[in-house]
Amino acid sequence: MPEQYESPYISHVFVCTNDRGGKRKSCADNDSPSVKSSLKAAVNARGWKGKVRISTSGCMGLCANGSNVMIYPQKIWFSGVMPDDVDGIMEVLEGLVGEA
Ligand code: FES
């Protein structure tokens, strides 16, 4: 049996960067790797290391709506995310960190 812990993060953000190379719709079509790196830079700039974690995710199953970004444990899901949506996602994270 593995050891089980409570997540150390207030929020864990998963950014799907799956890339099917144009064969089928995938989140990378909307430059999700750029979304991920911008979110990571914004989190680091706010000094949230250890509070908010930005992670790359594989396919989360809603590819036609990509790019997809989900935040746990708050069960927040963003679809149709483009690189210029990062500020809006950061506003939501600011609220979550402020509440914690
Ligand atoms: S490719 Fe991102 S959810 Fe499937």
mmCIF file of all heavy atoms in Angstrom, residues 43-91:
data_model
loop_
_atom_site.group_PDB
_atom_site.id
_atom_site.type_symbol
_atom_site.label_atom_id
_atom_site.label_comp_id
_atom_site.label_asym_id
_atom_site.label_seq_id
_atom_site.Cartn_x
_atom_site.Cartn_y
_atom_site.Cartn_z
ATOM 1 N N VAL A 43 3.100 32.585 -11.344
ATOM 2 C CA VAL A 43 3.074 32.013 -9.991
ATOM 3 C C VAL A 43 4.409 32.284 -9.296
ATOM 4 O O VAL A 43 4.448 32.684 -8.125
ATOM 5 C CB VAL A 43 2.752 30.498 -10.062
ATOM 6 C CG1 VAL A 43 3.128 29.790 -8.773
ATOM 7 C CG2 VAL A 43 1.272 30.304 -10.373
ATOM 8 N N ASN A 44 5.490 32.091 -10.002
ATOM 9 C CA ASN A 44 6.813 32.349 -9.407
ATOM 10 C C ASN A 44 6.979 33.825 -9.065
ATOM 11 O O ASN A 44 7.549 34.167 -8.023
ATOM 12 C CB ASN A 44 7.920 31.891 -10.359
ATOM 13 C CG ASN A 44 8.035 30.386 -10.429
ATOM 14 O OD1 ASN A 44 7.571 29.679 -9.541
ATOM 15 N ND2 ASN A 44 8.631 29.877 -11.495
ATOM 16 N N ALA A 45 6.480 34.715 -9.927
ATOM 17 C CA ALA A 45 6.606 36.157 -9.682
ATOM 18 C C ALA A 45 5.852 36.575 -8.423
ATOM 19 O O ALA A 45 6.228 37.544 -7.767
ATOM 20 C CB ALA A 45 6.082 36.930 -10.894
ATOM 21 N N ARG A 46 4.800 35.830 -8.079
ATOM 22 C CA ARG A 46 4.025 36.148 -6.874
ATOM 23 C C ARG A 46 4.574 35.458 -5.629
ATOM 24 O O ARG A 46 4.022 35.606 -4.541
ATOM 25 C CB ARG A 46 2.561 35.767 -7.094
ATOM 26 C CG ARG A 46 1.819 36.754 -7.983
ATOM 27 C CD ARG A 46 0.515 36.158 -8.497
ATOM 28 N NE ARG A 46 -0.256 37.102 -9.281
ATOM 29 C CZ ARG A 46 0.026 37.457 -10.532
ATOM 30 N NH1 ARG A 46 1.083 36.958 -11.141
ATOM 31 N NH2 ARG A 46 -0.730 38.312 -11.178
ATOM 32 N N GLY A 47 5.612 34.683 -5.796
ATOM 33 C CA GLY A 47 6.209 34.001 -4.644
ATOM 34 C C GLY A 47 5.337 32.881 -4.096
ATOM 35 O O GLY A 47 5.377 32.589 -2.908
ATOM 36 N N TRP A 48 4.581 32.237 -4.967
ATOM 37 C CA TRP A 48 3.652 31.197 -4.531
ATOM 38 C C TRP A 48 4.258 29.796 -4.589
ATOM 39 O O TRP A 48 3.523 28.815 -4.507
ATOM 40 C CB TRP A 48 2.398 31.217 -5.389
ATOM 41 C CG TRP A 48 1.514 32.390 -5.160
ATOM 42 C CD1 TRP A 48 1.597 33.326 -4.153
ATOM 43 C CD2 TRP A 48 0.381 32.768 -5.959
ATOM 44 N NE1 TRP A 48 0.592 34.244 -4.289
ATOM 45 C CE2 TRP A 48 -0.168 33.939 -5.387
ATOM 46 C CE3 TRP A 48 -0.202 32.230 -7.106
ATOM 47 C CZ2 TRP A 48 -1.295 34.575 -5.923
ATOM 48 C CZ3 TRP A 48 -1.309 32.856 -7.640
ATOM 49 C CH2 TRP A 48 -1.849 34.017 -7.049
ATOM 50 N N LYS A 49 5.545 29.697 -4.718
ATOM 51 C CA LYS A 49 6.165 28.363 -4.742
ATOM 52 C C LYS A 49 5.771 27.622 -3.461
ATOM 53 O O LYS A 49 5.865 28.178 -2.367
ATOM 54 C CB LYS A 49 7.681 28.499 -4.839
ATOM 55 C CG LYS A 49 8.361 27.173 -5.064
ATOM 56 C CD LYS A 49 9.839 27.333 -5.377
ATOM 57 C CE LYS A 49 10.404 25.949 -5.636
ATOM 58 N NZ LYS A 49 11.784 25.968 -6.033
ATOM 59 N N GLY A 50 5.314 26.399 -3.601
ATOM 60 C CA GLY A 50 4.858 25.628 -2.450
ATOM 61 C C GLY A 50 3.382 25.821 -2.158
ATOM 62 O O GLY A 50 2.799 25.070 -1.385
ATOM 63 N N LYS A 51 2.768 26.843 -2.758
ATOM 64 C CA LYS A 51 1.331 27.073 -2.565
ATOM 65 C C LYS A 51 0.521 26.677 -3.794
ATOM 66 O O LYS A 51 -0.548 26.088 -3.694
ATOM 67 C CB LYS A 51 1.057 28.564 -2.278
ATOM 68 C CG LYS A 51 1.600 29.043 -0.961
ATOM 69 C CD LYS A 51 1.242 30.506 -0.752
ATOM 70 C CE LYS A 51 1.762 30.989 0.590
ATOM 71 N NZ LYS A 51 1.480 32.411 0.807
ATOM 72 N N VAL A 52 1.039 27.062 -4.956
ATOM 73 C CA VAL A 52 0.355 26.761 -6.215
ATOM 74 C C VAL A 52 1.347 26.051 -7.123
ATOM 75 O O VAL A 52 2.468 26.532 -7.326
ATOM 76 C CB VAL A 52 -0.153 28.048 -6.895
ATOM 77 C CG1 VAL A 52 -0.774 27.729 -8.252
ATOM 78 C CG2 VAL A 52 -1.164 28.767 -5.998
ATOM 79 N N ARG A 53 0.940 24.943 -7.642
ATOM 80 C CA ARG A 53 1.802 24.160 -8.528
ATOM 81 C C ARG A 53 1.194 24.135 -9.931
ATOM 82 O O ARG A 53 0.008 23.859 -10.097
ATOM 83 C CB ARG A 53 1.909 22.725 -7.986
ATOM 84 C CG ARG A 53 2.752 21.794 -8.806
ATOM 85 C CD ARG A 53 4.210 21.980 -8.540
ATOM 86 N NE ARG A 53 5.026 21.159 -9.420
ATOM 87 C CZ ARG A 53 6.340 21.168 -9.407
ATOM 88 N NH1 ARG A 53 6.991 21.930 -8.552
ATOM 89 N NH2 ARG A 53 7.025 20.423 -10.232
ATOM 90 N N ILE A 54 2.019 24.447 -10.922
ATOM 91 C CA ILE A 54 1.592 24.375 -12.319
ATOM 92 C C ILE A 54 2.225 23.124 -12.920
ATOM 93 O O ILE A 54 3.450 22.987 -12.911
ATOM 94 C CB ILE A 54 2.053 25.619 -13.112
ATOM 95 C CG1 ILE A 54 1.652 26.919 -12.410
ATOM 96 C CG2 ILE A 54 1.521 25.555 -14.537
ATOM 97 C CD1 ILE A 54 0.176 27.178 -12.319
ATOM 98 N N SER A 55 1.400 22.236 -13.427
ATOM 99 C CA SER A 55 1.907 20.989 -13.988
ATOM 100 C C SER A 55 1.377 20.766 -15.393
ATOM 101 O O SER A 55 0.235 21.122 -15.707
ATOM 102 C CB SER A 55 1.486 19.796 -13.120
ATOM 103 O OG SER A 55 2.121 19.824 -11.872
ATOM 104 N N THR A 56 2.206 20.162 -16.195
ATOM 105 C CA THR A 56 1.786 19.721 -17.524
ATOM 106 C C THR A 56 0.896 18.495 -17.368
ATOM 107 O O THR A 56 1.176 17.622 -16.554
ATOM 108 C CB THR A 56 3.030 19.354 -18.349
ATOM 109 O OG1 THR A 56 3.808 20.522 -18.521
ATOM 110 C CG2 THR A 56 2.650 18.770 -19.692
ATOM 111 N N SER A 57 -0.156 18.456 -18.148
ATOM 112 C CA SER A 57 -1.024 17.283 -18.146
ATOM 113 C C SER A 57 -1.100 16.695 -19.542
ATOM 114 O O SER A 57 -0.989 17.421 -20.531
ATOM 115 C CB SER A 57 -2.434 17.692 -17.690
ATOM 116 O OG SER A 57 -3.350 16.649 -17.936
ATOM 117 N N GLY A 58 -1.307 15.410 -19.589
ATOM 118 C CA GLY A 58 -1.677 14.763 -20.841
ATOM 119 C C GLY A 58 -3.156 15.003 -21.097
ATOM 120 O O GLY A 58 -3.808 15.802 -20.399
ATOM 121 N N CYS A 59 -3.691 14.312 -22.074
ATOM 122 C CA CYS A 59 -5.087 14.503 -22.462
ATOM 123 C C CYS A 59 -6.028 14.279 -21.287
ATOM 124 O O CYS A 59 -5.911 13.308 -20.548
ATOM 125 C CB CYS A 59 -5.431 13.538 -23.597
ATOM 126 S SG CYS A 59 -7.137 13.665 -24.130
ATOM 127 N N MET A 60 -6.980 15.220 -21.131
ATOM 128 C CA MET A 60 -7.965 15.125 -20.054
ATOM 129 C C MET A 60 -9.342 14.795 -20.602
ATOM 130 O O MET A 60 -10.330 14.866 -19.887
ATOM 131 C CB MET A 60 -7.986 16.424 -19.243
ATOM 132 C CG MET A 60 -6.629 16.702 -18.594
ATOM 133 S SD MET A 60 -6.643 18.022 -17.386
ATOM 134 C CE MET A 60 -6.723 19.470 -18.436
ATOM 135 N N GLY A 61 -9.418 14.482 -21.897
ATOM 136 C CA GLY A 61 -10.647 13.922 -22.449
ATOM 137 C C GLY A 61 -11.613 14.891 -23.103
ATOM 138 O O GLY A 61 -12.587 14.454 -23.694
ATOM 139 N N LEU A 62 -11.383 16.186 -22.979
ATOM 140 C CA LEU A 62 -12.297 17.156 -23.603
ATOM 141 C C LEU A 62 -11.549 17.937 -24.683
ATOM 142 O O LEU A 62 -11.571 19.164 -24.732
ATOM 143 C CB LEU A 62 -12.880 18.101 -22.549
ATOM 144 C CG LEU A 62 -13.746 17.444 -21.475
ATOM 145 C CD1 LEU A 62 -14.264 18.476 -20.487
ATOM 146 C CD2 LEU A 62 -14.916 16.690 -22.106
ATOM 147 N N CYS A 63 -10.910 17.207 -25.569
ATOM 148 C CA CYS A 63 -9.976 17.777 -26.546
ATOM 149 C C CYS A 63 -10.629 18.817 -27.458
ATOM 150 O O CYS A 63 -10.009 19.821 -27.804
ATOM 151 C CB CYS A 63 -9.386 16.673 -27.403
ATOM 152 S SG CYS A 63 -9.041 15.166 -26.495
ATOM 153 N N ALA A 64 -11.871 18.574 -27.849
ATOM 154 C CA ALA A 64 -12.536 19.497 -28.773
ATOM 155 C C ALA A 64 -12.709 20.877 -28.159
ATOM 156 O O ALA A 64 -12.894 21.857 -28.878
ATOM 157 C CB ALA A 64 -13.894 18.938 -29.188
ATOM 158 N N ASN A 65 -12.653 20.961 -26.834
ATOM 159 C CA ASN A 65 -12.831 22.244 -26.138
ATOM 160 C C ASN A 65 -11.505 22.880 -25.736
ATOM 161 O O ASN A 65 -11.494 23.850 -24.987
ATOM 162 C CB ASN A 65 -13.669 22.043 -24.869
ATOM 163 C CG ASN A 65 -15.015 21.427 -25.164
ATOM 164 O OD1 ASN A 65 -15.545 21.595 -26.252
ATOM 165 N ND2 ASN A 65 -15.561 20.701 -24.212
ATOM 166 N N GLY A 66 -10.385 22.319 -26.175
ATOM 167 C CA GLY A 66 -9.090 22.790 -25.711
ATOM 168 C C GLY A 66 -8.767 24.216 -26.105
ATOM 169 O O GLY A 66 -9.419 24.769 -26.983
ATOM 170 N N SER A 67 -7.809 24.778 -25.460
ATOM 171 C CA SER A 67 -6.989 24.153 -24.424
ATOM 172 C C SER A 67 -7.750 24.061 -23.104
ATOM 173 O O SER A 67 -8.535 24.938 -22.772
ATOM 174 C CB SER A 67 -5.725 24.967 -24.165
ATOM 175 O OG SER A 67 -4.949 25.042 -25.337
ATOM 176 N N ASN A 68 -7.457 22.985 -22.383
ATOM 177 C CA ASN A 68 -8.092 22.742 -21.101
ATOM 178 C C ASN A 68 -7.107 22.943 -19.959
ATOM 179 O O ASN A 68 -5.966 22.493 -20.029
ATOM 180 C CB ASN A 68 -8.632 21.309 -21.060
ATOM 181 C CG ASN A 68 -9.820 21.132 -21.973
ATOM 182 O OD1 ASN A 68 -10.878 21.688 -21.732
ATOM 183 N ND2 ASN A 68 -9.629 20.371 -23.044
ATOM 184 N N VAL A 69 -7.590 23.622 -18.928
ATOM 185 C CA VAL A 69 -6.809 23.857 -17.709
ATOM 186 C C VAL A 69 -7.727 23.543 -16.539
ATOM 187 O O VAL A 69 -8.860 24.042 -16.487
ATOM 188 C CB VAL A 69 -6.351 25.338 -17.618
ATOM 189 C CG1 VAL A 69 -5.658 25.607 -16.289
ATOM 190 C CG2 VAL A 69 -5.424 25.691 -18.784
ATOM 191 N N MET A 70 -7.261 22.714 -15.613
ATOM 192 C CA MET A 70 -8.095 22.435 -14.443
ATOM 193 C C MET A 70 -7.317 22.719 -13.172
ATOM 194 O O MET A 70 -6.100 22.599 -13.118
ATOM 195 C CB MET A 70 -8.641 21.014 -14.457
ATOM 196 C CG MET A 70 -7.644 19.931 -14.295
ATOM 197 S SD MET A 70 -8.504 18.327 -14.184
ATOM 198 C CE MET A 70 -7.097 17.266 -13.939
ATOM 199 N N ILE A 71 -8.080 23.119 -12.163
ATOM 200 C CA ILE A 71 -7.500 23.481 -10.874
ATOM 201 C C ILE A 71 -8.121 22.591 -9.804
ATOM 202 O O ILE A 71 -9.345 22.574 -9.646
ATOM 203 C CB ILE A 71 -7.761 24.970 -10.531
ATOM 204 C CG1 ILE A 71 -7.212 25.878 -11.630
ATOM 205 C CG2 ILE A 71 -7.151 25.317 -9.175
ATOM 206 C CD1 ILE A 71 -7.514 27.359 -11.431
ATOM 207 N N TYR A 72 -7.245 21.886 -9.098
ATOM 208 C CA TYR A 72 -7.703 21.032 -8.007
ATOM 209 C C TYR A 72 -7.044 21.460 -6.716
ATOM 210 O O TYR A 72 -5.942 21.984 -6.746
ATOM 211 C CB TYR A 72 -7.364 19.556 -8.312
ATOM 212 C CG TYR A 72 -8.485 18.875 -9.027
ATOM 213 C CD1 TYR A 72 -8.719 19.124 -10.377
ATOM 214 C CD2 TYR A 72 -9.356 18.026 -8.353
ATOM 215 C CE1 TYR A 72 -9.776 18.531 -11.040
ATOM 216 C CE2 TYR A 72 -10.415 17.428 -9.016
ATOM 217 C CZ TYR A 72 -10.616 17.673 -10.360
ATOM 218 O OH TYR A 72 -11.668 17.083 -11.019
ATOM 219 N N PRO A 73 -7.685 21.278 -5.566
ATOM 220 C CA PRO A 73 -8.914 20.508 -5.339
ATOM 221 C C PRO A 73 -10.194 21.313 -5.526
ATOM 222 O O PRO A 73 -11.273 20.825 -5.182
ATOM 223 C CB PRO A 73 -8.778 20.079 -3.874
ATOM 224 C CG PRO A 73 -8.077 21.224 -3.238
ATOM 225 C CD PRO A 73 -7.098 21.715 -4.286
ATOM 226 N N GLN A 74 -10.115 22.502 -6.104
ATOM 227 C CA GLN A 74 -11.304 23.348 -6.204
ATOM 228 C C GLN A 74 -12.249 22.940 -7.348
ATOM 229 O O GLN A 74 -13.317 23.539 -7.488
ATOM 230 C CB GLN A 74 -10.885 24.818 -6.352
ATOM 231 C CG GLN A 74 -10.263 25.398 -5.097
ATOM 232 C CD GLN A 74 -8.762 25.133 -4.992
ATOM 233 O OE1 GLN A 74 -8.120 24.670 -5.925
ATOM 234 N NE2 GLN A 74 -8.193 25.432 -3.825
ATOM 235 N N LYS A 75 -11.846 21.985 -8.149
ATOM 236 C CA LYS A 75 -12.693 21.483 -9.244
ATOM 237 C C LYS A 75 -13.077 22.589 -10.219
ATOM 238 O O LYS A 75 -14.228 22.693 -10.641
ATOM 239 C CB LYS A 75 -13.957 20.800 -8.700
ATOM 240 C CG LYS A 75 -13.705 19.559 -7.888
ATOM 241 C CD LYS A 75 -15.033 18.943 -7.506
ATOM 242 C CE LYS A 75 -14.843 17.654 -6.743
ATOM 243 N NZ LYS A 75 -16.139 17.086 -6.323
ATOM 244 N N ILE A 76 -12.118 23.420 -10.575
ATOM 245 C CA ILE A 76 -12.349 24.493 -11.547
ATOM 246 C C ILE A 76 -11.771 24.039 -12.877
ATOM 247 O O ILE A 76 -10.646 23.533 -12.933
ATOM 248 C CB ILE A 76 -11.686 25.805 -11.076
ATOM 249 C CG1 ILE A 76 -12.338 26.278 -9.782
ATOM 250 C CG2 ILE A 76 -11.780 26.878 -12.165
ATOM 251 C CD1 ILE A 76 -11.611 27.428 -9.110
ATOM 252 N N TRP A 77 -12.547 24.226 -13.919
ATOM 253 C CA TRP A 77 -12.125 23.773 -15.236
ATOM 254 C C TRP A 77 -12.301 24.910 -16.235
ATOM 255 O O TRP A 77 -13.397 25.461 -16.352
ATOM 256 C CB TRP A 77 -12.991 22.579 -15.672
ATOM 257 C CG TRP A 77 -12.489 21.860 -16.885
ATOM 258 C CD1 TRP A 77 -12.391 22.356 -18.159
ATOM 259 C CD2 TRP A 77 -12.029 20.519 -16.958
ATOM 260 N NE1 TRP A 77 -11.883 21.410 -19.013
ATOM 261 C CE2 TRP A 77 -11.664 20.264 -18.292
ATOM 262 C CE3 TRP A 77 -11.888 19.500 -16.012
ATOM 263 C CZ2 TRP A 77 -11.171 19.035 -18.711
ATOM 264 C CZ3 TRP A 77 -11.403 18.281 -16.444
ATOM 265 C CH2 TRP A 77 -11.044 18.059 -17.780
ATOM 266 N N PHE A 78 -11.231 25.247 -16.946
ATOM 267 C CA PHE A 78 -11.288 26.231 -18.018
ATOM 268 C C PHE A 78 -11.131 25.500 -19.350
ATOM 269 O O PHE A 78 -10.233 24.678 -19.492
ATOM 270 C CB PHE A 78 -10.146 27.250 -17.906
ATOM 271 C CG PHE A 78 -10.179 28.098 -16.661
ATOM 272 C CD1 PHE A 78 -9.405 27.769 -15.567
ATOM 273 C CD2 PHE A 78 -10.966 29.234 -16.600
ATOM 274 C CE1 PHE A 78 -9.422 28.554 -14.423
ATOM 275 C CE2 PHE A 78 -10.999 30.020 -15.468
ATOM 276 C CZ PHE A 78 -10.216 29.681 -14.369
ATOM 277 N N SER A 79 -11.979 25.838 -20.303
ATOM 278 C CA SER A 79 -11.848 25.311 -21.659
ATOM 279 C C SER A 79 -11.678 26.465 -22.631
ATOM 280 O O SER A 79 -12.018 27.610 -22.315
ATOM 281 C CB SER A 79 -13.086 24.497 -22.044
ATOM 282 O OG SER A 79 -13.065 23.246 -21.396
ATOM 283 N N GLY A 80 -11.177 26.150 -23.809
ATOM 284 C CA GLY A 80 -10.963 27.183 -24.821
ATOM 285 C C GLY A 80 -9.928 28.206 -24.401
ATOM 286 O O GLY A 80 -9.980 29.363 -24.818
ATOM 287 N N VAL A 81 -8.980 27.752 -23.589
ATOM 288 C CA VAL A 81 -7.962 28.675 -23.063
ATOM 289 C C VAL A 81 -6.956 29.020 -24.155
ATOM 290 O O VAL A 81 -6.444 28.136 -24.855
ATOM 291 C CB VAL A 81 -7.235 28.046 -21.855
ATOM 292 C CG1 VAL A 81 -6.122 28.958 -21.367
ATOM 293 C CG2 VAL A 81 -8.223 27.756 -20.728
ATOM 294 N N MET A 82 -6.702 30.310 -24.269
ATOM 295 C CA MET A 82 -5.680 30.827 -25.176
ATOM 296 C C MET A 82 -4.602 31.523 -24.341
ATOM 297 O O MET A 82 -4.845 31.867 -23.183
ATOM 298 C CB MET A 82 -6.300 31.821 -26.164
ATOM 299 C CG MET A 82 -7.450 31.248 -26.980
ATOM 300 S SD MET A 82 -6.940 29.955 -28.116
ATOM 301 C CE MET A 82 -6.228 30.957 -29.409
ATOM 302 N N PRO A 83 -3.433 31.762 -24.928
ATOM 303 C CA PRO A 83 -2.363 32.398 -24.137
ATOM 304 C C PRO A 83 -2.780 33.711 -23.483
ATOM 305 O O PRO A 83 -2.325 34.011 -22.371
ATOM 306 C CB PRO A 83 -1.246 32.595 -25.169
ATOM 307 C CG PRO A 83 -1.427 31.442 -26.100
ATOM 308 C CD PRO A 83 -2.924 31.293 -26.237
ATOM 309 N N ASP A 84 -3.651 34.478 -24.108
ATOM 310 C CA ASP A 84 -4.023 35.758 -23.474
ATOM 311 C C ASP A 84 -5.080 35.596 -22.377
ATOM 312 O O ASP A 84 -5.563 36.602 -21.839
ATOM 313 C CB ASP A 84 -4.438 36.797 -24.520
ATOM 314 C CG ASP A 84 -5.640 36.385 -25.335
ATOM 315 O OD1 ASP A 84 -6.228 35.326 -25.049
ATOM 316 O OD2 ASP A 84 -5.997 37.138 -26.251
ATOM 317 N N ASP A 85 -5.430 34.367 -22.030
ATOM 318 C CA ASP A 85 -6.347 34.116 -20.911
ATOM 319 C C ASP A 85 -5.608 33.921 -19.588
ATOM 320 O O ASP A 85 -6.252 33.722 -18.546
ATOM 321 C CB ASP A 85 -7.195 32.869 -21.186
ATOM 322 C CG ASP A 85 -8.163 33.080 -22.341
ATOM 323 O OD1 ASP A 85 -8.730 34.194 -22.430
ATOM 324 O OD2 ASP A 85 -8.327 32.142 -23.142
ATOM 325 N N VAL A 86 -4.292 33.955 -19.625
ATOM 326 C CA VAL A 86 -3.516 33.675 -18.411
ATOM 327 C C VAL A 86 -3.843 34.668 -17.292
ATOM 328 O O VAL A 86 -3.980 34.274 -16.123
ATOM 329 C CB VAL A 86 -1.998 33.668 -18.726
ATOM 330 C CG1 VAL A 86 -1.160 33.721 -17.461
ATOM 331 C CG2 VAL A 86 -1.655 32.414 -19.530
ATOM 332 N N ASP A 87 -4.014 35.934 -17.609
ATOM 333 C CA ASP A 87 -4.316 36.917 -16.567
ATOM 334 C C ASP A 87 -5.633 36.585 -15.854
ATOM 335 O O ASP A 87 -5.736 36.719 -14.632
ATOM 336 C CB ASP A 87 -4.393 38.329 -17.152
ATOM 337 C CG ASP A 87 -3.024 38.884 -17.531
ATOM 338 O OD1 ASP A 87 -2.008 38.272 -17.141
ATOM 339 O OD2 ASP A 87 -2.988 39.920 -18.218
ATOM 340 N N GLY A 88 -6.617 36.147 -16.611
ATOM 341 C CA GLY A 88 -7.901 35.790 -16.008
ATOM 342 C C GLY A 88 -7.778 34.584 -15.088
ATOM 343 O O GLY A 88 -8.391 34.537 -14.018
ATOM 344 N N ILE A 89 -6.996 33.591 -15.494
ATOM 345 C CA ILE A 89 -6.780 32.421 -14.643
ATOM 346 C C ILE A 89 -6.026 32.838 -13.380
ATOM 347 O O ILE A 89 -6.334 32.380 -12.273
ATOM 348 C CB ILE A 89 -6.022 31.323 -15.418
ATOM 349 C CG1 ILE A 89 -6.897 30.814 -16.569
ATOM 350 C CG2 ILE A 89 -5.619 30.178 -14.489
ATOM 351 C CD1 ILE A 89 -6.192 29.875 -17.538
ATOM 352 N N MET A 90 -5.073 33.741 -13.532
ATOM 353 C CA MET A 90 -4.325 34.212 -12.357
ATOM 354 C C MET A 90 -5.246 34.955 -11.387
ATOM 355 O O MET A 90 -5.065 34.860 -10.168
ATOM 356 C CB MET A 90 -3.155 35.098 -12.782
ATOM 357 C CG MET A 90 -2.006 34.335 -13.425
ATOM 358 S SD MET A 90 -1.354 32.968 -12.431
ATOM 359 C CE MET A 90 -0.781 33.853 -10.980
ATOM 360 N N GLU A 91 -6.230 35.670 -11.889
ATOM 361 C CA GLU A 91 -7.186 36.346 -10.993
ATOM 362 C C GLU A 91 -7.949 35.322 -10.153
ATOM 363 O O GLU A 91 -8.177 35.526 -8.960
ATOM 364 C CB GLU A 91 -8.167 37.189 -11.804
ATOM 365 C CG GLU A 91 -7.591 38.499 -12.278
ATOM 366 C CD GLU A 91 -8.597 39.311 -13.089
ATOM 367 O OE1 GLU A 91 -9.815 39.134 -12.903
ATOM 368 O OE2 GLU A 91 -8.136 40.120 -13.918
#
